[in-house]
Amino acid sequence: MPRNATMLLIRHAEETGRKDDRGLSAAGLCRAWAYVPWFRSRRGLAPPSILIAAADEADSMRPRQTLEPLAAVQGIRLEARFDEKRYRELARLVSRQERFDGVVTVVCWRHDELLPLAQALCAQRDALPATWSEEEYGWIIRLDFDAEGTCSTHITSQRLMHADRRVPRARKPMARQVRD
């Protein structure tokens, strides 16, 4: 796992709800653009250096669209090569590459696989909510890695948009886990 690093896991921004629409709604576009100052001004946290989104699929390109404004303003290449079901492969990549050490990485995924992705990256199941509601867009999972690779897991509400709700209760309070 990374050392002296932070990973922020988010769900893609709001969708239109229409079956034939692969993109973001107006509210989703607002959230995507609101992420630019939000991620760049987190107190005590450097701006992101690495941006990763789930790959486009036949029915959705929302994870990539969510991070495109931040990538453009930061001048960072947006990586979007992993299918949402290949989250274990992404976790292996993160654990083996030194480029994730000492930086902030933002990962945008689809809600169905976001909690399994968090667990594959080191989050203890008990520190996460039991489910991620289809209507919830405003939660953020923060994984902090210390110098030994010990992972602390926090889930909070972004409180970025009016509809963002309070964070769910974790199964147990904040957890720490050591991974190789």
Side-chain angles (χ1 to χ4, degrees), residues 101-139:
D101 291 348
V103 300
V104 175
T105 301
V106 175
V107 179
C108 184
W109 224 249
R110 294 179 184 88
H111 81 283
D112 289 340
E113 301 299 333
L114 197 52
L115 295 174
L117 169 63
Q119 290 177 50
L121 287 167
C122 92
Q124 289 182 325
R125 186 172 173 256
D126 289 344
L128 300 171
T131 61
W132 193 297
S133 164
E134 195 169 316
E135 293 81 35
E136 185 56 59
Y137 295 91
W139 295 340

Short mmCIF file of all heavy atoms in Angstrom, two decimals, residues 101-139:
data_model
loop_
_atom_site.label_atom_id
_atom_site.label_comp_id
_atom_site.label_asym_id
_atom_site.label_seq_id
_atom_site.Cartn_x
_atom_site.Cartn_y
_atom_site.Cartn_z
N ASP A 101 2.98 7.01 -3.40
CA ASP A 101 3.56 7.39 -2.11
C ASP A 101 3.64 8.91 -1.99
O ASP A 101 4.05 9.60 -2.92
CB ASP A 101 4.98 6.82 -1.95
CG ASP A 101 5.01 5.31 -1.80
OD1 ASP A 101 3.94 4.71 -1.61
OD2 ASP A 101 6.11 4.74 -1.88
N GLY A 102 3.24 9.43 -0.85
CA GLY A 102 3.41 10.85 -0.54
C GLY A 102 2.51 11.80 -1.29
O GLY A 102 2.75 13.01 -1.27
N VAL A 103 1.46 11.30 -1.94
CA VAL A 103 0.57 12.18 -2.70
C VAL A 103 -0.90 11.93 -2.33
O VAL A 103 -1.23 10.95 -1.67
CB VAL A 103 0.74 11.99 -4.23
CG1 VAL A 103 2.16 12.30 -4.67
CG2 VAL A 103 0.33 10.60 -4.67
N VAL A 104 -1.73 12.84 -2.78
CA VAL A 104 -3.18 12.69 -2.65
C VAL A 104 -3.70 12.18 -3.99
O VAL A 104 -3.40 12.74 -5.04
CB VAL A 104 -3.86 14.03 -2.29
CG1 VAL A 104 -5.38 13.88 -2.29
CG2 VAL A 104 -3.36 14.53 -0.94
N THR A 105 -4.48 11.11 -3.93
CA THR A 105 -5.09 10.52 -5.12
C THR A 105 -6.60 10.57 -4.95
O THR A 105 -7.12 10.21 -3.89
CB THR A 105 -4.65 9.05 -5.28
OG1 THR A 105 -3.23 9.00 -5.39
CG2 THR A 105 -5.28 8.41 -6.51
N VAL A 106 -7.30 11.00 -5.99
CA VAL A 106 -8.77 10.97 -5.99
C VAL A 106 -9.21 9.88 -6.95
O VAL A 106 -8.75 9.82 -8.10
CB VAL A 106 -9.37 12.32 -6.41
CG1 VAL A 106 -10.90 12.22 -6.51
CG2 VAL A 106 -8.98 13.41 -5.44
N VAL A 107 -10.09 9.01 -6.47
CA VAL A 107 -10.63 7.92 -7.27
C VAL A 107 -12.14 8.10 -7.34
O VAL A 107 -12.81 8.20 -6.32
CB VAL A 107 -10.30 6.54 -6.67
CG1 VAL A 107 -10.89 5.42 -7.51
CG2 VAL A 107 -8.79 6.37 -6.53
N CYS A 108 -12.67 8.16 -8.57
CA CYS A 108 -14.11 8.31 -8.79
C CYS A 108 -14.64 7.02 -9.40
O CYS A 108 -14.18 6.59 -10.47
CB CYS A 108 -14.36 9.50 -9.71
SG CYS A 108 -16.11 9.83 -9.97
N TRP A 109 -15.63 6.42 -8.76
CA TRP A 109 -16.14 5.11 -9.15
C TRP A 109 -17.66 5.12 -9.17
O TRP A 109 -18.29 6.11 -8.81
CB TRP A 109 -15.63 4.08 -8.14
CG TRP A 109 -15.13 2.81 -8.74
CD1 TRP A 109 -15.72 1.58 -8.65
CD2 TRP A 109 -13.94 2.62 -9.51
NE1 TRP A 109 -14.97 0.65 -9.31
CE2 TRP A 109 -13.86 1.26 -9.85
CE3 TRP A 109 -12.94 3.47 -9.96
CZ2 TRP A 109 -12.83 0.74 -10.62
CZ3 TRP A 109 -11.90 2.95 -10.71
CH2 TRP A 109 -11.86 1.59 -11.03
N ARG A 110 -18.25 4.02 -9.55
CA ARG A 110 -19.70 3.85 -9.51
C ARG A 110 -20.09 3.26 -8.15
O ARG A 110 -19.35 2.47 -7.59
CB ARG A 110 -20.15 2.95 -10.65
CG ARG A 110 -19.91 3.60 -12.00
CD ARG A 110 -20.33 2.71 -13.18
NE ARG A 110 -19.97 3.38 -14.41
CZ ARG A 110 -18.77 3.26 -15.01
NH1 ARG A 110 -17.85 2.48 -14.48
NH2 ARG A 110 -18.52 3.92 -16.12
N HIS A 111 -21.26 3.63 -7.66
CA HIS A 111 -21.61 3.29 -6.27
C HIS A 111 -21.69 1.80 -6.01
O HIS A 111 -21.39 1.36 -4.90
CB HIS A 111 -22.90 4.00 -5.85
CG HIS A 111 -24.15 3.35 -6.30
ND1 HIS A 111 -24.62 3.44 -7.59
CD2 HIS A 111 -25.03 2.59 -5.62
CE1 HIS A 111 -25.74 2.75 -7.69
NE2 HIS A 111 -26.01 2.24 -6.52
N ASP A 112 -22.04 0.99 -6.99
CA ASP A 112 -22.18 -0.45 -6.76
C ASP A 112 -20.86 -1.10 -6.33
O ASP A 112 -20.88 -2.08 -5.58
CB ASP A 112 -22.68 -1.16 -8.02
CG ASP A 112 -24.13 -0.84 -8.33
OD1 ASP A 112 -24.85 -0.41 -7.41
OD2 ASP A 112 -24.54 -1.04 -9.48
N GLU A 113 -19.76 -0.60 -6.82
CA GLU A 113 -18.46 -1.21 -6.54
C GLU A 113 -17.56 -0.33 -5.66
O GLU A 113 -16.41 -0.67 -5.43
CB GLU A 113 -17.74 -1.52 -7.86
CG GLU A 113 -18.49 -2.46 -8.78
CD GLU A 113 -18.76 -3.83 -8.18
OE1 GLU A 113 -17.97 -4.28 -7.31
OE2 GLU A 113 -19.75 -4.47 -8.57
N LEU A 114 -18.08 0.77 -5.17
CA LEU A 114 -17.26 1.70 -4.39
C LEU A 114 -16.84 1.13 -3.04
O LEU A 114 -15.68 1.25 -2.64
CB LEU A 114 -18.00 3.03 -4.21
CG LEU A 114 -17.18 4.21 -3.78
CD1 LEU A 114 -15.96 4.42 -4.67
CD2 LEU A 114 -18.02 5.48 -3.82
N LEU A 115 -17.74 0.50 -2.34
CA LEU A 115 -17.38 -0.08 -1.04
C LEU A 115 -16.43 -1.28 -1.19
O LEU A 115 -15.44 -1.37 -0.45
CB LEU A 115 -18.63 -0.46 -0.25
CG LEU A 115 -19.51 0.74 0.14
CD1 LEU A 115 -20.81 0.28 0.79
CD2 LEU A 115 -18.77 1.70 1.05
N PRO A 116 -16.66 -2.17 -2.18
CA PRO A 116 -15.65 -3.23 -2.40
C PRO A 116 -14.29 -2.66 -2.81
O PRO A 116 -13.25 -3.19 -2.39
CB PRO A 116 -16.26 -4.09 -3.51
CG PRO A 116 -17.72 -3.88 -3.40
CD PRO A 116 -17.87 -2.44 -2.95
N LEU A 117 -14.28 -1.59 -3.60
CA LEU A 117 -13.02 -0.94 -3.96
C LEU A 117 -12.30 -0.44 -2.70
O LEU A 117 -11.11 -0.65 -2.53
CB LEU A 117 -13.25 0.21 -4.93
CG LEU A 117 -12.07 1.14 -5.19
CD1 LEU A 117 -10.91 0.40 -5.84
CD2 LEU A 117 -12.50 2.33 -6.05
N ALA A 118 -13.04 0.21 -1.83
CA ALA A 118 -12.45 0.73 -0.59
C ALA A 118 -11.83 -0.40 0.23
O ALA A 118 -10.72 -0.28 0.75
CB ALA A 118 -13.50 1.48 0.23
N GLN A 119 -12.53 -1.52 0.32
CA GLN A 119 -12.00 -2.66 1.07
C GLN A 119 -10.76 -3.24 0.39
O GLN A 119 -9.80 -3.61 1.07
CB GLN A 119 -13.07 -3.73 1.22
CG GLN A 119 -14.18 -3.32 2.17
CD GLN A 119 -15.27 -4.36 2.25
OE1 GLN A 119 -15.00 -5.53 2.47
NE2 GLN A 119 -16.51 -3.93 2.08
N ALA A 120 -10.75 -3.28 -0.93
CA ALA A 120 -9.58 -3.80 -1.66
C ALA A 120 -8.37 -2.89 -1.45
O ALA A 120 -7.23 -3.37 -1.48
CB ALA A 120 -9.90 -3.92 -3.15
N LEU A 121 -8.62 -1.60 -1.23
CA LEU A 121 -7.53 -0.65 -1.01
C LEU A 121 -7.04 -0.64 0.44
O LEU A 121 -6.01 -0.08 0.72
CB LEU A 121 -7.95 0.75 -1.43
CG LEU A 121 -8.05 0.97 -2.93
CD1 LEU A 121 -8.77 2.26 -3.24
CD2 LEU A 121 -6.66 0.95 -3.56
N CYS A 122 -7.78 -1.18 1.39
CA CYS A 122 -7.37 -1.37 2.79
C CYS A 122 -8.46 -1.04 3.78
O CYS A 122 -8.30 -1.33 4.95
CB CYS A 122 -6.12 -0.60 3.15
SG CYS A 122 -6.46 1.03 3.82
N ALA A 123 -9.53 -0.38 3.39
CA ALA A 123 -10.56 0.01 4.36
C ALA A 123 -11.16 -1.23 5.01
O ALA A 123 -11.52 -2.19 4.34
CB ALA A 123 -11.66 0.82 3.67
N GLN A 124 -11.26 -1.18 6.33
CA GLN A 124 -11.90 -2.28 7.02
C GLN A 124 -13.41 -2.19 6.81
O GLN A 124 -13.99 -1.10 6.87
CB GLN A 124 -11.58 -2.25 8.51
CG GLN A 124 -10.15 -2.63 8.79
CD GLN A 124 -9.87 -2.63 10.27
OE1 GLN A 124 -10.40 -1.83 11.02
NE2 GLN A 124 -9.01 -3.55 10.69
N ARG A 125 -14.02 -3.31 6.59
CA ARG A 125 -15.46 -3.38 6.32
C ARG A 125 -16.26 -2.71 7.43
O ARG A 125 -17.23 -2.01 7.18
CB ARG A 125 -15.85 -4.85 6.17
CG ARG A 125 -17.27 -5.05 5.78
CD ARG A 125 -17.51 -6.53 5.47
NE ARG A 125 -18.91 -6.75 5.25
CZ ARG A 125 -19.71 -7.30 6.14
NH1 ARG A 125 -19.25 -7.71 7.30
NH2 ARG A 125 -20.99 -7.45 5.87
N ASP A 126 -15.83 -2.89 8.67
CA ASP A 126 -16.56 -2.32 9.80
C ASP A 126 -16.51 -0.79 9.85
O ASP A 126 -17.31 -0.18 10.54
CB ASP A 126 -16.04 -2.89 11.12
CG ASP A 126 -16.42 -4.34 11.31
OD1 ASP A 126 -17.32 -4.82 10.59
OD2 ASP A 126 -15.83 -5.00 12.17
N ALA A 127 -15.56 -0.18 9.17
CA ALA A 127 -15.45 1.28 9.16
C ALA A 127 -16.33 1.92 8.09
O ALA A 127 -16.45 3.14 8.04
CB ALA A 127 -14.00 1.69 8.94
N LEU A 128 -16.94 1.10 7.25
CA LEU A 128 -17.75 1.58 6.13
C LEU A 128 -19.23 1.36 6.39
O LEU A 128 -19.59 0.49 7.18
CB LEU A 128 -17.34 0.84 4.85
CG LEU A 128 -15.88 0.99 4.42
CD1 LEU A 128 -15.57 0.01 3.28
CD2 LEU A 128 -15.58 2.42 4.02
N PRO A 129 -20.07 2.10 5.70
CA PRO A 129 -21.50 1.82 5.81
C PRO A 129 -21.82 0.47 5.18
O PRO A 129 -21.05 -0.04 4.36
CB PRO A 129 -22.16 2.97 5.02
CG PRO A 129 -21.11 3.41 4.06
CD PRO A 129 -19.80 3.20 4.76
N ALA A 130 -22.94 -0.11 5.54
CA ALA A 130 -23.32 -1.41 4.99
C ALA A 130 -23.63 -1.32 3.50
O ALA A 130 -23.35 -2.25 2.74
CB ALA A 130 -24.52 -1.97 5.75
N THR A 131 -24.21 -0.21 3.07
CA THR A 131 -24.56 -0.01 1.66
C THR A 131 -24.30 1.43 1.26
O THR A 131 -24.17 2.31 2.11
CB THR A 131 -26.04 -0.32 1.39
OG1 THR A 131 -26.85 0.57 2.16
CG2 THR A 131 -26.39 -1.76 1.71
N TRP A 132 -24.26 1.66 -0.04
CA TRP A 132 -24.15 3.01 -0.60
C TRP A 132 -25.41 3.22 -1.41
O TRP A 132 -25.58 2.63 -2.48
CB TRP A 132 -22.91 3.12 -1.49
CG TRP A 132 -22.55 4.52 -1.85
CD1 TRP A 132 -23.31 5.39 -2.59
CD2 TRP A 132 -21.37 5.23 -1.50
NE1 TRP A 132 -22.66 6.59 -2.72
CE2 TRP A 132 -21.46 6.51 -2.06
CE3 TRP A 132 -20.22 4.90 -0.79
CZ2 TRP A 132 -20.46 7.46 -1.93
CZ3 TRP A 132 -19.23 5.85 -0.66
CH2 TRP A 132 -19.34 7.11 -1.22
N SER A 133 -26.29 4.04 -0.93
CA SER A 133 -27.59 4.28 -1.56
C SER A 133 -27.44 4.81 -2.99
O SER A 133 -26.55 5.59 -3.29
CB SER A 133 -28.37 5.30 -0.73
OG SER A 133 -29.45 5.82 -1.46
N GLU A 134 -28.34 4.40 -3.84
CA GLU A 134 -28.35 4.87 -5.23
C GLU A 134 -28.57 6.38 -5.31
O GLU A 134 -28.16 7.02 -6.26
CB GLU A 134 -29.44 4.13 -6.01
CG GLU A 134 -29.32 4.28 -7.49
CD GLU A 134 -30.23 3.33 -8.24
OE1 GLU A 134 -30.32 2.15 -7.88
OE2 GLU A 134 -30.84 3.81 -9.22
N GLU A 135 -29.19 6.96 -4.30
CA GLU A 135 -29.47 8.40 -4.28
C GLU A 135 -28.35 9.23 -3.66
O GLU A 135 -28.40 10.45 -3.66
CB GLU A 135 -30.77 8.70 -3.52
CG GLU A 135 -32.02 8.17 -4.20
CD GLU A 135 -32.24 6.69 -3.93
OE1 GLU A 135 -31.92 6.21 -2.82
OE2 GLU A 135 -32.71 5.99 -4.85
N GLU A 136 -27.33 8.57 -3.11
CA GLU A 136 -26.29 9.29 -2.38
C GLU A 136 -25.08 9.60 -3.26
O GLU A 136 -24.45 8.71 -3.81
CB GLU A 136 -25.83 8.46 -1.17
CG GLU A 136 -24.83 9.17 -0.30
CD GLU A 136 -25.35 10.51 0.19
OE1 GLU A 136 -26.38 10.54 0.86
OE2 GLU A 136 -24.71 11.52 -0.12
N TYR A 137 -24.78 10.89 -3.38
CA TYR A 137 -23.63 11.34 -4.17
C TYR A 137 -22.61 12.08 -3.31
O TYR A 137 -21.51 12.34 -3.80
CB TYR A 137 -24.09 12.26 -5.30
CG TYR A 137 -24.96 11.57 -6.31
CD1 TYR A 137 -26.34 11.53 -6.17
CD2 TYR A 137 -24.39 10.92 -7.40
CE1 TYR A 137 -27.13 10.88 -7.09
CE2 TYR A 137 -25.18 10.27 -8.33
CZ TYR A 137 -26.55 10.25 -8.17
OH TYR A 137 -27.33 9.59 -9.09
N GLY A 138 -22.95 12.44 -2.09
CA GLY A 138 -22.13 13.36 -1.32
C GLY A 138 -21.21 12.77 -0.27
O GLY A 138 -20.67 13.50 0.55
N TRP A 139 -20.99 11.47 -0.26
CA TRP A 139 -20.08 10.89 0.71
C TRP A 139 -18.68 10.80 0.13
O TRP A 139 -18.49 10.72 -1.08
CB TRP A 139 -20.51 9.49 1.12
CG TRP A 139 -21.82 9.43 1.84
CD1 TRP A 139 -22.47 10.45 2.49
CD2 TRP A 139 -22.65 8.28 1.99
NE1 TRP A 139 -23.64 10.00 3.03
CE2 TRP A 139 -23.78 8.67 2.74
CE3 TRP A 139 -22.55 6.97 1.57
CZ2 TRP A 139 -24.79 7.79 3.08
CZ3 TRP A 139 -23.56 6.08 1.90
CH2 TRP A 139 -24.67 6.50 2.66
#
